[in-house]
Amino acid sequence: MNMVAPRSSLRIRLLAGTLVWITASIIVAGWGLRSLFQQHVEAQFHAELKTHLDQLTAQLTLDSRGHASLALPLSDPRLSRPYSGCYWQIDQTHDGMPPETGVLRSRSLWDHVLATPPDTPADGEIHQHRIIGPEGKMLGMVERSVRIDDTPDGKPRSFRLIAAADESLMTEPVGRFSGALWLALGVLGGGLVVAALVQVFIGLAPLRKLHTALGKVQSGEMQHLDGDFPAEIMPLVDQFNAVLVQNAKVVERARTQAGNLAHALKTPLSVLSNAALAPDARDSALSRLVIDQVGTARRQLDYHLARAQAAATALIPGTRTPLSPIIDGLVRTMRHIHADRQLALTVMPVSPSLAFRGEPQDLQEMLGNLLDNACKWAAHQVEISARREGGNLRILIDDDGTGLAAEQREAVIQRGVRADEQVPGSGLGLAIVDDLARLYGGRVELADSPLGGLRAVLILPVAQ
């Protein structure tokens, strides 16, 4: 599987951006909601302590001897259960002297006395502190100073009223809420990620469809992009189809101009050739020179004309040529041309799906030259086979002739070089084949044949 850089993948960029925003939103929302709930719980915690403190203030009385007592017990039952986490305490203060701590205490304190900070709140003022309580637990505390002037013995007295509670009564609900909150936000985030994946998958589906259509155009299954695309993509599809049409027109004009040029040059060449073959000039040195040069010019014209036509179509998408019909037609032609030699031309089974990504004329030109060479050099047998290897066609043409030495194989592919001057030919056949194959991104290779002669391997791009 190919690794795709994030910046080069639209899918990854969209998903990365979405995931970043989802994660940031979940974190901010979780932090905000937890903070709000924590503030609410803290406010409720201190409000309850102040309620206890108000009740203490309201129920505080003095007996006939001036000792502090409560007219009625406080309403919260936790204050009567030892170490329940809710406590109250009353200290008596004296001007310039240490306070008497724990003159009255809730039953929940049992034998513990709360140690309060050494501050002196103004009469009626409420202070908040954190102190160590029973069993070493941290308590949240509120205190208030109360002065009673109307006493039985006429001596004013001052008291410090304390209400405290275990901070776990505040932190535990926040912890439980945080766990449930992050679980819920995690589920929500997972749902949003799935939704983002579905959205990106559906949103980019037309691009995958466009990619498939382009592949069909490139492989030759379609001549232009066809399909129902969204309005945002249709202008691109229309412009691409317009480019395909324009390229086809350019190729057609190039072919027409190349053909016109060939006909324009062949006519004067024919005139020169006929003039050189006239009875009064047939045996002269000038006549032989003209005939030789006219033949060379025709061969060069055919070579460059074929090369120009292939160059015009090699990179045009939408061209597809089935291999089997071309091979069968060429084999029938070769059997007719070389009928006097009684050659056995064998075609190994070729898959009907195999196709060349290019023009039929170019495939006929390349295979025709290779088959003709094989038939010229073969003793009795020529064998043709083809298969697909990766993204290429591999066409093998074997003969049982004399073959070629390894040092000659590169040379004979060069333009104008012939392996044997005794065999008819121009020396351009293999050069044309090699040039055409390279224009399509392929090549020609020569090797030893299992039949004893030469094997020509034609490698060309395959149509999907």
Side-chain angles (χ1 to χ4, degrees):
M1 184 175 180
N2 294 332
M3 297 299 293
V4 182
R7 64 174 181 172
S8 63
S9 171
L10 185 59
R11 181 186 297 108
I12 293 178
R13 291 171 64 183
L14 290 173
L15 287 176
T18 303
L19 290 177
V20 167
W21 281 111
I22 289 176
T23 303
S25 300
I26 292 295
I27 292 175
V28 171
W31 175 81
L33 291 173
R34 184 185 182 280
S35 298
L36 289 174
F37 183 76
Q38 184 175 10
Q39 293 173 11
H40 171 74
V41 171
E42 289 178 356
Q44 290 292 103
F45 178 81
H46 289 101
E48 186 175 8
L49 290 180
K50 290 176 182 178
T51 299
H52 291 167
L53 195 61
D54 291 340
Q55 288 182 353
L56 275 177
T57 305
Q59 301 301 330
L60 178 62
T61 62
L62 297 177
D63 59 18
S64 59
R65 292 179 297 175
H67 294 161
S69 63
L70 295 183
L72 292 172
L74 272 61
S75 60
D76 193 331
R78 292 176 297 177
L79 295 171
S80 300
R81 189 169 66 247
Y83 300 150
S84 64
C86 289
Y87 313 104
W88 63 263
Q89 178 176 299
I90 297 177
D91 298 343
Q92 186 172 355
T93 60
H94 305 281
D95 294 336
M97 296 179 62
E100 295 181 45
T101 59
V103 295
L104 285 177
R105 293 176 296 171
S106 64
R107 185 176 179 80
S108 57
L109 278 173
W110 199 245
D111 57 354
H112 188 87
V113 177
L114 298 177
T116 59
D119 61 341
T120 56
D123 190 26
E125 184 180 12
I126 295 177
H127 284 188
Q128 293 184 2
H129 300 285
R130 297 179 73 227
I131 61 174
I132 301 298
E135 300 179 328
K137 295 181 179 179
M138 186 63 66
L139 305 181
M141 181 198 88
V142 294
E143 62 174 350
R144 171 188 291 157
S145 292
V146 176
R147 179 181 175 87
I148 302 177
D149 294 324
D150 185 14
T151 62
D153 58 3
K155 296 179 180 179
R157 288 176 175 80
S158 296
F159 298 93
R160 178 186 289 180
L161 281 60
I162 302 167
D166 191 341
E167 286 190 345
S168 64
L169 299 176
M170 175 175 56
T171 58
E172 288 179 0
V174 174
R176 290 192 298 270
F177 175 80
S178 297
L181 174 65
W182 288 117
L183 177 62
L185 290 177
V187 174
L188 175 62
L192 292 175
V193 170
V194 172
L197 290 171
V198 173
Q199 183 179 15
V200 170
F201 182 82
I202 295 176
L204 296 182
L207 294 182
R208 291 192 294 272
K209 183 179 179 182
L210 179 61
H211 179 266
T212 302
L214 285 172
K216 291 182 178 180
V217 171
Q218 186 179 18
S219 65
E221 297 180 38
M222 297 168 54
Q223 296 298 320
H224 62 277
L225 293 178
D226 190 14
D228 185 16
F229 295 96
E232 292 80 3
I233 298 180
M234 277 308 299
L236 176 63
V237 173
D238 294 338
Q239 290 180 6
F240 188 83
N241 285 334
V243 170
L244 290 178
V245 173
Q246 184 179 2
N247 285 348
K249 291 180 180 179
V250 170
V251 170
E252 188 60 31
R253 284 198 299 270
R255 285 180 171 176
T256 302
Q257 292 173 0
N260 292 340
L261 177 61
H263 288 297
L265 292 177
K266 285 181 178 180
T267 299
L269 289 176
S270 297
V271 172
L272 289 174
S273 178
N274 292 334
L277 292 175
D280 55 344
R282 181 174 300 173
D283 296 327
S284 66
L286 179 60
S287 173
R288 290 192 295 274
L289 178 62
V290 169
I291 292 174
D292 183 59
Q293 293 302 313
V294 166
T296 300
R298 282 177 172 170
R299 290 192 297 271
Q300 294 289 344
L301 180 64
D302 292 338
Y303 168 76
H304 288 290
L305 179 61
R307 197 176 190 280
Q309 288 178 334
T313 59
L315 300 179
I316 298 299
T319 52
R320 185 177 190 274
T321 302
L323 186 59
S324 183
I326 299 295
I327 292 178
D328 293 341
L330 288 173
V331 167
R332 287 194 297 269
T333 300
M334 293 301 160
R335 283 172 177 164
H336 177 73
I337 294 175
H338 300 280
D340 56 330
R341 300 191 53 209
Q342 305 271 323
L343 292 177
L345 272 73
T346 305
V347 179
M348 305 303 290
V350 177
S351 172
S353 63
L354 283 182
F356 163 58
R357 184 160 54 84
E359 291 288 330
Q361 299 89 336
D362 297 332
L363 182 60
Q364 289 176 341
E365 182 75 19
M366 291 182 281
L367 281 180
N369 273 289
L370 293 178
L371 272 174
D372 189 45
N373 281 341
C375 290
K376 286 178 182 178
W377 291 95
H380 304 95
Q381 185 178 1
V382 174
E383 186 176 284
I384 306 101
S385 62
R387 63 177 182 268
R388 174 175 179 167
E389 288 187 356
N392 293 320
L393 282 174
R394 191 175 181 88
I395 305 172
L396 309 177
I397 301 176
D398 294 287
D399 65 68
D400 61 349
T402 56
L404 278 177
E407 59 272 12
Q408 290 182 289
R409 293 171 187 167
E410 290 293 332
V412 297
I413 296 179
Q414 299 177 9
R415 182 154 48 99
V417 176
R418 297 172 58 189
D420 190 344
E421 297 293 335
Q422 302 300 317
V423 178
S426 63
L428 292 175
L430 287 176
I432 291 176
V433 174
D434 187 58
D435 277 352
L436 291 180
R438 291 185 183 278
L439 286 172
Y440 281 100
R443 63 187 183 277
V444 175
E445 297 175 353
L446 300 179
D448 293 327
S449 171
L451 299 182
L454 184 68
R455 164 174 282 183
V457 183
L458 179 60
I459 300 173
L460 297 171
V462 68
Q464 301 299 325

